[in-house]
């Protein structure tokens, strides 16, 4: 399968609405997601390609849905940035910040948990962690170099605490969450063509321009196809809407293969590892909610999608947050209407495994590939995985 690479440069703050009602009869204030869901990006790109290839026949729609669109990921100054890993914890006391990694930990005598499996363990801070202060905010996006360093530090010892979630530059290796740009509008009277008194509404978009600089965060994606629309992708250089309110962005084909390759340090660490971390760079969709369907529901053992065989991983612990809702509206002829709501595992979630059989080096080619259960979810860019190592805290 051939791979193509697409960069999106926003012209305006881009709208990524959450699922709360917005309209003349259901609320006049739009609410924004903190980041773009993969389905928003993949749907916009498929719309662009469908228009460029002559329309949306049944055959064209099937070919568009078969495209493997991975992303979107944040890019600044040719450096990828990923959502912060949820196994990182920072405590702040005055001017001091201390960073610790959560790791699976054995229970002591008389201790117990109500986790859904007998072999699952809680994730714990190391003994002696300095928790005199309070849990601190963490920069929402980490550079690929910072992520590679974090994923290969088995116990997270010696990792410099990241800054808080305030605007910063790419030089630090951290980025804050994009600010929300609110705009107040007025409805127009159908009869007079002028502002309709009292009918104000507010839109909310994600502003990807870095404050006080000329830098702008781009969105990047990898598109896998079997030859269909190859010429369109290779010549892509077009302004096209993305997200709500038809906000415009520039879409361009690029040569970004190097951005999607596993770092050498991570590949070396995986080659000799028996304890494996799976980090989700985009939200995950699994048949079992938080539990991937490729894991046995009793033993929590299995092999990720795309691995030919011989690798057997056993789940030991999970670091995640509350599930996120995913909903939308289908425009396909045979399924037009609202889509069923689904529950996503948040981006940044971390799954801890032990390697029971095979060589963990098989995971290197699956860097930034999807681990979702359903083929369409994988094609839409959900569940992109980074891999790393872990070890118990040495107390």
């Amino acid at each position: 399968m051939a791979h193509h690479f697409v960069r999106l440069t926003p012209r305006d703050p881009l709208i990524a609405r959450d699922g709360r009602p917005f309209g003349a009869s259901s609320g006049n204030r739009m609410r924004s997601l903190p980041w773009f869901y993969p389905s928003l990006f993949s749907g916009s790109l498929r719309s662009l390609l469908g228009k460029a290839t002559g329309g949306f026949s049944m055959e064209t729609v099937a070919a568009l849905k078969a495209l493997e669109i991975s992303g979107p990921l944040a890019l600044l100054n040719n450096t990828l940035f990923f959502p912060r890993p949820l196994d990182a914890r920072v405590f702040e006391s005055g001017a001091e910040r201390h960073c610790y990694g959560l790791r699976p930990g054995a229970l002591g005598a008389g201790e117990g948990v109500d986790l859904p499996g007998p072999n699952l363990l809680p994730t714990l801070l190391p003994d002696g962690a300095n928790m005199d202060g309070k849990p601190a905010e963490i920069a929402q996006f980490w550079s690929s170099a910072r992520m590679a360093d974090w994923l290969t530090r088995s116990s997270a010892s010696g990792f410099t605490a990241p800054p808080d979630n305030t605007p910063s530059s790419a030089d630090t290796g951290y980025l804050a969450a994009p600010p929300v740009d609110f705009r107040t509008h007025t409805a127009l009277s159908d009869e007079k063509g002028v502002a309709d008194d009292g009918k104000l509404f507010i839109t909310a978009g994600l502003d990807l321009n870095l404050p006080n600089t000329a830098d702008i965060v781009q969105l990047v994606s990898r598109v896998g196809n079997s030859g269909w629309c190859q010429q369109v992708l290779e010549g892509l250089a077009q302004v096209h809407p993305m997200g709500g309110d038809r906000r415009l962005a520039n879409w361009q084909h690029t040569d970004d293969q190097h951005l999607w390759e596993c770092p050498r340090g991570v590949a070396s660490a995986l080659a000799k590892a028996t304890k494996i971390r799976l980090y989700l760079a985009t939200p995950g969709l699994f048949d079992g909610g938080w539990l991937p369907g490729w894991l046995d529901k009793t033993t929590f053992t299995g092999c990720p999608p795309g691995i030919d065989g011989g690798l057997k991983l056993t789940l030991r612990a999970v670091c995640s947050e509350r599930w996120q809702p995913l909903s939308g509206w289908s425009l396909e002829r045979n399924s037009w209407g609202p889509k069923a709501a689904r529950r996503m595992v948040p981006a940044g979630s971390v799954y801890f495994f032990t390697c029971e059989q095979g060589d963990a080096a098989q995971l290197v080619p699956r860097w930034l590939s999807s681990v979702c259960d359903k083929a369409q979810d994988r094609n839409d860019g959900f569940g992109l995985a980074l891999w790393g190592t872990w070890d118990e805290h040495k107390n």
Side-chain angles (χ1 to χ4, degrees):
M1 175 176 290
H3 285 119
H4 302 271
F5 305 92
V6 175
R7 287 194 191 188
L8 179 151
T9 306
R11 177 184 178 275
D12 310 301
L14 299 177
I15 290 178
R17 280 182 52 205
D18 67 7
R20 282 175 282 191
F22 174 72
S25 60
S26 54
N28 62 356
R29 180 182 292 272
M30 182 183 293
R31 292 173 175 84
S32 176
L33 295 169
W35 189 246
F36 308 98
Y37 285 167
S39 51
L40 174 62
F41 184 93
S42 59
S44 298
L45 179 55
R46 289 187 176 113
S47 295
L48 186 161
L49 296 175
K51 295 172 187 176
T53 52
F56 296 92
S57 65
M58 299 292 288
E59 294 76 13
T60 299
V61 170
L64 288 169
K65 293 176 68 176
L67 295 175
E68 295 182 4
I69 301 176
S70 302
L73 301 176
L75 182 78
L76 180 63
N77 297 336
N78 291 314
T79 299
L80 281 181
F81 283 80
F82 301 98
R84 67 179 180 89
L86 296 181
D87 62 340
R89 291 291 185 272
V90 172
F91 291 87
E92 186 176 55
S93 178
E96 294 186 357
R97 292 171 63 89
H98 303 278
C99 182
Y100 304 101
L102 294 170
R103 296 291 182 266
L107 298 174
E111 297 176 340
V113 292
D114 59 352
L115 296 172
N119 296 322
L120 291 182
L121 298 172
T123 53
L124 307 174
L125 292 167
D127 288 348
N130 187 339
M131 295 184 288
D132 293 338
K134 59 182 180 179
E137 288 188 352
I138 305 177
Q140 291 299 299
F141 291 91
W142 296 21
S143 70
S144 53
R146 296 284 188 184
M147 280 300 306
D149 187 10
W150 179 259
L151 290 172
T152 52
R153 287 181 182 264
S154 297
S155 62
S157 60
F159 192 85
T160 303
D164 59 11
N165 191 37
T166 55
S168 54
S169 67
D171 297 337
T172 66
Y174 300 101
L175 289 177
V180 179
D181 173 79
F182 293 101
R183 298 183 179 183
T184 302
H185 309 259
T186 181
L188 296 179
S189 170
D190 293 334
E191 297 179 357
K192 301 179 181 179
V194 297
D196 207 344
D197 290 343
K199 293 187 177 180
L200 299 177
F201 62 95
I202 297 174
T203 59
L206 297 178
D207 188 355
L208 300 186
N209 291 282
L210 262 61
N212 304 317
T213 72
D215 293 333
I216 185 169
V217 175
Q218 298 173 299
L219 304 182
V220 294
S221 175
R222 179 183 60 199
V223 182
N225 75 330
S226 301
W228 185 83
C229 76
Q230 180 171 337
Q231 290 184 343
V232 175
L233 279 167
E234 289 177 348
L236 184 61
Q238 185 174 344
V239 175
H240 187 268
M242 164 151 162
D245 206 28
R246 295 184 62 80
R247 299 282 178 87
L248 296 176
N250 182 56
W251 303 71
Q252 187 168 10
H253 183 273
T254 59
D255 183 16
D256 286 337
Q257 171 70 42
H258 63 286
L259 296 176
W260 298 79
E261 296 172 349
C262 180
R264 292 182 180 179
V266 176
S268 299
L270 288 173
K272 52 188 177 181
T274 58
K275 295 184 175 70
I276 308 299
R277 263 188 293 172
L278 184 163
Y279 157 90
L280 291 179
T282 57
L285 287 167
F286 301 118
D287 292 343
W290 65 274
L291 182 66
W294 42 270
L295 293 176
D296 183 271
K297 294 182 180 179
T298 303
T299 63
F300 296 140
T301 298
C303 181
I307 304 295
D308 294 334
L311 183 66
K312 183 186 292 185
L313 303 179
T314 298
L315 182 66
R316 301 310 307 274
V318 180
C319 278
S320 187
E321 292 180 341
R322 188 174 182 177
W323 60 270
Q324 296 174 333
L326 176 68
S327 60
W329 194 275
S330 174
L331 297 178
E332 289 190 61
R333 297 174 187 174
N334 297 334
S335 59
W336 189 89
K339 296 180 180 179
R342 305 175 68 186
R343 297 185 177 190
M344 300 189 300
V345 179
S349 297
V350 178
Y351 289 70
F352 297 86
F353 295 93
T354 53
C355 185
E356 309 294 340
Q357 178 181 311
D359 187 353
Q362 296 180 72
L363 297 170
V364 172
R366 301 299 298 167
W367 182 264
L368 280 174
S369 295
S370 176
V371 293
C372 290
D373 299 324
K374 292 183 171 59
Q376 191 57 56
D377 294 333
R378 295 196 292 269
N379 289 349
D380 291 343
F382 290 98
L384 299 187
L386 307 186
W387 301 92
T389 61
W390 66 276
D391 204 351
E392 295 89 353
H393 290 302
K394 294 177 174 58
N395 298 317

